[in-house]
Amino acid sequence: RVKSEVPEAMFVIAGEGELRPETEKLASELGLNETCLFIGRCASVPELLAASDICVLSSQAEGFSNSILEYMAAGRAVVATNVGGASEAIIEGETGHLVNAGDDRAMAERLISLLRDPEKSRTMGLNGRRRIEQRFSTENRLKTTIALYHRYLT
């Protein structure tokens, strides 16, 4: 869907797991061998994120994803499935987009929208970086933890 609307789009799929062979086979069946780069385990996440325009997390189930936080900290717009703690990090339409798990049409629509509007994608990325700094930074987590201790121990 994305490739038909944005022919120059490329996809980098990082990581290992039991779905990799099935995903590689699907990419081949769809004629996307030249479009989808399966890089396996990524030892240089900052370089990968710097080379990316938009980051995607398409999990069917997830806890609180550190990947989403990494994407946002790198200043990248995020399109993710609304599972686990994704909605705690992503503000719909401001720092990225949330779609229902399994809704590949909605995911493609959001990706196409951001690929066609790079300025909106950059703005979402900057908004995401600010959100990480304000809410999820080490300093903020420390302040929150100390406040929690004070509340319950004093």
Side-chain angles (χ1 to χ4, degrees):
R1 288 189 178 108
V2 173
K3 189 68 172 172
S4 68
E5 296 292 324
V6 186
E8 66 277 13
M10 296 290 296
F11 299 90
V12 178
I13 297 135
E16 296 290 335
E18 62 187 46
L19 296 177
R20 182 175 174 169
E22 180 182 336
T23 306
E24 287 178 330
K25 181 180 176 199
L26 179 60
S28 179
E29 290 170 355
L30 294 172
L32 298 173
N33 287 336
E34 302 299 318
T35 300
C36 295
L37 307 172
F38 291 86
I39 64 169
R41 181 177 297 277
C42 182
S44 183
V45 174
E47 289 176 13
L48 176 61
L49 295 178
S52 301
D53 294 319
I54 302 162
C55 296
V56 176
L57 188 72
S58 59
S59 301
Q60 294 291 322
E62 188 79 43
F64 188 86
S65 173
N66 285 332
S67 297
I68 291 173
L69 299 180
E70 290 173 345
Y71 303 158
M72 292 170 69
R76 298 298 177 255
V78 181
V79 178
T81 48
N82 192 6
V83 297
S87 64
E88 292 178 49
I90 298 169
I91 299 173
E92 173 58 37
E94 187 178 319
T95 64
H97 291 295
L98 293 165
V99 299
N100 291 328
D103 191 347
D104 57 285
R105 287 183 193 277
M107 177 142 322
E109 288 170 5
R110 298 314 185 281
L111 285 167
I112 291 165
S113 167
L114 290 172
L115 289 167
R116 286 184 173 163
D117 190 348
E119 186 58 37
K120 180 178 181 182
S121 180
R122 276 190 291 278
T123 299
M124 283 185 165
L126 292 173
N127 290 341
R129 182 180 297 148
R130 274 193 295 276
R131 181 158 172 80
I132 291 299
E133 291 167 355
Q134 292 168 356
R135 181 148 185 219
F136 297 99
S137 68
T138 303
E139 294 81 16
N140 181 273
R141 300 288 23 149
L142 180 60
K143 287 178 188 175
T144 302
T145 302
I146 290 171
L148 184 67
Y149 282 142
H150 279 287
R151 191 166 102 210
Y152 288 106
L153 297 176
T154 57

